[in-house]
Amino acid sequence: MVECHGAFRRQGWKLQRYKNRLPVVGTYGEGVVALSNQVKVDHAAWRNVTIFETFSGDELSRITMVGTGDANNRSTLVAYPAGAPRIEAVAFDGARTLVYGE
């Protein structure tokens, strides 16, 4: 638990998006690279995201925490299995922005 708490404290800047009510900043299709069953999302292009959601049809199928797959926290590897129609970025207030797909 101490290790987890310490990691949380080191990442305290992330709380600013909630405290300051920062909206997601990003433009559809920019800062994303399609990989095999994943999409790499660059944090320089997509800011203030709380989580990324991957859909299967109209149903939410995956949730990816920001920074997943990158120890330096410069990008996020978001699951994007075959047939998934889209990935959305979620803001502090639940507002969603289309990142990739349709």
Side-chain angles (χ1 to χ4, degrees):
M1 184 67 165
V2 173
E3 183 177 325
C4 180
H5 179 66
F8 180 76
R9 288 183 57 202
R10 286 190 300 274
Q11 298 298 322
W13 61 270
K14 291 180 182 179
L15 295 176
Q16 296 305 311
R17 64 189 72 162
Y18 292 100
K19 181 179 175 186
N20 296 329
R21 301 177 161 276
L22 300 173
V24 166
V25 175
T27 302
Y28 171 78
E30 291 185 12
V32 297
V33 176
L35 305 170
S36 177
N37 295 323
Q38 295 179 320
V39 171
K40 183 177 181 179
V41 181
D42 186 342
H43 293 177
W46 287 91
R47 298 186 310 277
N48 306 324
V49 176
T50 59
I51 61 169
F52 291 97
E53 295 179 335
T54 303
F55 288 81
S56 178
D58 288 333
E59 298 290 321
L60 175 64
S61 64
R62 306 275 175 96
I63 295 173
T64 305
M65 294 182 66
V66 173
T68 297
D70 185 351
N72 295 314
N73 199 32
R74 292 185 189 125
S75 64
T76 300
L77 290 177
V78 182
Y80 195 68
R86 68 187 182 281
I87 295 172
E88 296 180 354
V90 182
F92 76 94
D93 61 355
R96 287 163 174 76
T97 304
L98 184 62
V99 175
Y100 188 79
E102 299 177 4

